[in-house]
């Protein structure tokens, strides 16, 4: 349950939920709902969180945990703990230069950051952040020449890994969009007036001018270069014919690690591996695409068994505490990704807020490892958990939302 923490100082936040509360107070409703909302009745959004509560820890006693090491490695490179910042778009809506704030905080925390195709900053700008492990997320657009140019830019910028998102070639039914916008590119008048009640956001984001999409500049029509117009136009340009042939093409085109994000079937994960994918991200797009979909944690152990060792396996969705990371790793994940947790920090306090979010997750993860009696990430295994083979029925999360406001429903 979200806390009603009154302070605006991100350094005093003790949980991601408290950062979320700070973000909600600072952001206009239309922006907070973009950050926080899910598709349709938000069944998937709630399930992503509920499944973590349905997994219990089984600690081992009398193990020496005077020294606990959370470090791990992905694609042959070390990282501070098994966490990466997930690709998210429109981060300039949360804070001015939001992509760079995320990147600098990730570099300082010694973890990777995945940049979205629809980020506000350009590939080259984010990749140039000192010390950053830069990953690039890719949507497949209809324009083949643009795709080739985007890949060339990522290569020249020194991008470490490419992440192909495969669950968004058809846009989800995000009803909060329909509630908030008079047209696909214009917020309702009531929402625009409500935004004026958030002077800090207005000064930081609105008055200097809401940023555009740096990576799309070369293909955007002249009349679609504002944020709303570009966002609507880009949705129409994502290729709905996305198929396995695109993965085959990328594998021949991209020489570095290639990750497929958005799979929810163990058999699809195996097929992606056999097609040359170096990594898999089990994901339902944070509950923003197919409502009623399975949560990644539910099929994690089965997918790890199907893949065996050697393929990097990650999940996202619902990560709010270090204990969530520990459960995912114990069930077979090499790491987790999270978009909302760092973004709550970004919205609440800029780069300092992101740094606080990452520090909280790392500290909590270390503490959980110690309380479980595990001294290294490799020690986290299914025997740390109860009823791993059968997570049991979910609590009732299928209740229709009715007339209740999206902002008042539990996340």
């Amino acid at each position: 349950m979200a806390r009603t923490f009154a302070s605006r100082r991100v350094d005093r936040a003790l949980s991601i939920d408290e950062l979320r509360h700070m973000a909600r107070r600072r952001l206009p409703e239309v922006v907070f709902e973009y950050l926080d909302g899910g598709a349709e009745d938000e069944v998937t959004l709630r399930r992503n969180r509920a499944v973590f509560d349905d997994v219990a820890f089984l600690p081992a006693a009398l193990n020496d945990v005077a020294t606990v090491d959370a470090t791990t490695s992905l694609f042959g490179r070390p990282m501070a703990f098994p966490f990466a910042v997930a690709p998210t778009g429109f981060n300039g809506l949360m804070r001015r230069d939001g992509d760079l704030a995320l990147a600098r905080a990730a570099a300082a925390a010694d973890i990777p950051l995945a940049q979205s195709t629809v980020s506000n900053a350009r590939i080259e700008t984010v990749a140039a952040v000192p010390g950053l492990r830069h990953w690039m997320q890719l949507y497949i657009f209809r324009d083949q020449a643009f795709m080739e140019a985007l890949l060339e830019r990522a290569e020249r910028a020194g991008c470490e890994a490419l992440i192909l998102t495969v669950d968004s070639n058809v846009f989800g039914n995000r009803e909060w969009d329909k509630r908030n916008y008079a047209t696909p590119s214009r917020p309702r008048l009531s929402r625009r007036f409500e935004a004026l009640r958030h002077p800090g956001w207005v000064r930081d984001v609105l008055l200097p001018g809401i940023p555009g999409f740096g990576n799309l500049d070369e293909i955007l029509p002249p009349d679609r270069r504002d944020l709303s117009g570009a966002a609507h136009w880009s949705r129409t340009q994502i290729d709905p014919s996305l198929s396995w042939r695109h993965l085959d093409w990328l594998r021949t085109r991209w020489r570095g690690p290639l990750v497929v994000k958005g799979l929810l079937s163990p058999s699809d994960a195996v097929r992606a591996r056999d097609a040359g994918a170096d990594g898999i991200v089990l994901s339902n797009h944070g509950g923003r695409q197919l409502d009623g979909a399975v949560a990644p944690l539910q099929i994690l152990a089965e997918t790890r068994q199907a893949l065996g060792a050697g393929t990097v396996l990650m999940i996202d969705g619902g990560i709010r505490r270090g204990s969530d990371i520990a459960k995912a790793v114990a069930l077979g994940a090499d790491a987790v990704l999270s978009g909302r947790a760092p973004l709550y920090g970004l919205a609440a306090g800029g780069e300092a807020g992101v740094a606080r979010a990452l520090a909280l997750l790392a500290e909590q993860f270390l503490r959980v490892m110690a309380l479980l009696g595990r001294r290294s990430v490799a020690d986290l295994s299914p025997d740390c958990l109860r009823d791993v083979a059968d997570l049991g029925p979910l609590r009732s999360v299928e209740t229709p939302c009715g007339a209740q406001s999206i902002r008042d429903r539990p996340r």
Side-chain angles (χ1 to χ4, degrees), residues 78-406:
M79 53 198 289
F81 71 117
F83 183 93
V85 178
T88 52
F90 313 164
N91 294 327
L93 280 177
M94 312 301 155
R95 284 276 178 170
R96 175 68 36 181
D97 296 326
D99 295 308
L100 289 176
L102 287 163
R104 288 191 290 261
D110 191 22
I111 60 170
L113 171 134
Q115 181 183 1
S116 172
T117 298
V118 291
S119 60
N120 298 121
R122 292 175 59 83
I123 295 172
E124 297 81 0
T125 305
V126 175
V129 170
L132 177 66
R133 289 186 62 180
H134 180 246
W135 298 351
M136 186 66 202
Q137 176 270 342
L138 194 70
Y139 290 119
I140 298 295
F141 279 67
R142 301 173 191 266
D143 189 328
Q144 182 70 19
F146 169 69
M147 298 308 303
E148 291 283 357
L150 204 63
L151 290 171
E152 290 177 6
R153 289 173 55 196
E155 287 177 342
R156 289 197 304 267
C159 176
E160 176 187 343
L162 188 72
I163 300 177
L164 171 65
T165 295
V166 300
D167 61 359
S168 300
N169 53 319
V170 175
F171 198 69
N173 183 25
R174 304 172 191 177
E175 293 174 354
W176 36 264
D177 261 346
K178 298 175 182 178
R179 281 191 292 266
N180 288 327
Y181 287 84
T183 69
S185 62
R186 189 172 181 82
R188 293 185 183 277
L189 184 62
S190 61
R191 287 295 191 249
R192 285 183 276 160
F193 277 123
E194 193 278 333
L196 298 178
R197 296 170 52 196
H198 303 268
W201 180 86
V202 170
R203 287 192 302 270
D204 180 52
V205 176
L206 190 61
L207 290 181
I210 295 177
F213 296 90
N215 294 322
L216 305 184
D217 280 348
E218 60 195 77
I219 62 168
L220 280 173
D223 61 341
R224 294 297 184 95
R225 292 186 174 273
D226 64 291
L227 182 73
S228 297
H232 178 65
W233 180 86
S234 65
R235 293 173 190 171
T236 69
Q237 298 306 302
I238 293 177
D239 194 346
S241 72
L242 176 67
S243 69
W244 292 99
R245 65 184 172 84
H246 291 95
L247 178 58
D248 293 337
W249 167 71
L250 275 179
R251 185 65 287 176
T252 61
R253 180 64 182 76
W254 182 260
R255 290 171 290 188
L258 177 61
V259 178
V260 178
K261 178 179 180 290
L263 301 179
L264 286 174
S265 162
S267 61
D268 280 346
V270 170
R271 184 174 180 180
R273 178 203 63 191
D274 293 345
D278 303 289
I280 305 294
V281 181
L282 301 176
S283 173
N284 55 38
H285 215 89
R288 297 161 76 86
Q289 285 293 96
L290 175 63
D291 200 26
V294 68
L297 192 75
Q298 291 178 290
I299 42 93
L300 174 55
E302 181 183 352
T303 305
R304 171 50 76 195
Q305 184 176 13
L307 287 174
T311 302
V312 170
L313 180 59
M314 297 175 277
I315 72 167
D316 69 5
I319 305 295
R320 296 293 183 273
R321 287 192 175 272
S323 55
D324 302 331
I325 303 171
K327 290 173 181 178
V329 172
L331 282 169
D334 294 293
V336 307
L337 287 81
S338 177
R340 286 189 178 95
L343 287 181
Y344 292 141
L346 176 67
E351 183 179 341
V354 182
R356 183 58 178 162
L358 299 180
L360 284 169
L361 291 169
E363 292 165 5
Q364 292 165 1
F365 180 65
L366 272 171
R367 185 182 304 110
V368 169
M369 287 179 61
L371 290 171
L372 283 171
R374 314 298 188 189
R375 287 180 288 188
S376 71
V377 172
D379 292 335
L380 292 171
S381 61
D383 61 4
C384 297
L385 307 176
R386 185 177 180 85
D387 296 328
V388 171
D390 180 8
L391 297 182
L394 290 173
R395 296 187 307 280
S396 176
V397 295
E398 305 279 351
T399 304
C401 62
Q404 190 179 23
S405 167
I406 187 174

Side-chain angles (χ1 to χ4, degrees), residues 63-83:
N63 284 345
D64 180 358
V65 289
T67 301
V68 178
D69 183 6
T71 61
T72 187
S73 65
L74 283 179
F75 306 122
R77 295 182 59 182
M79 53 198 289
F81 71 117
F83 183 93

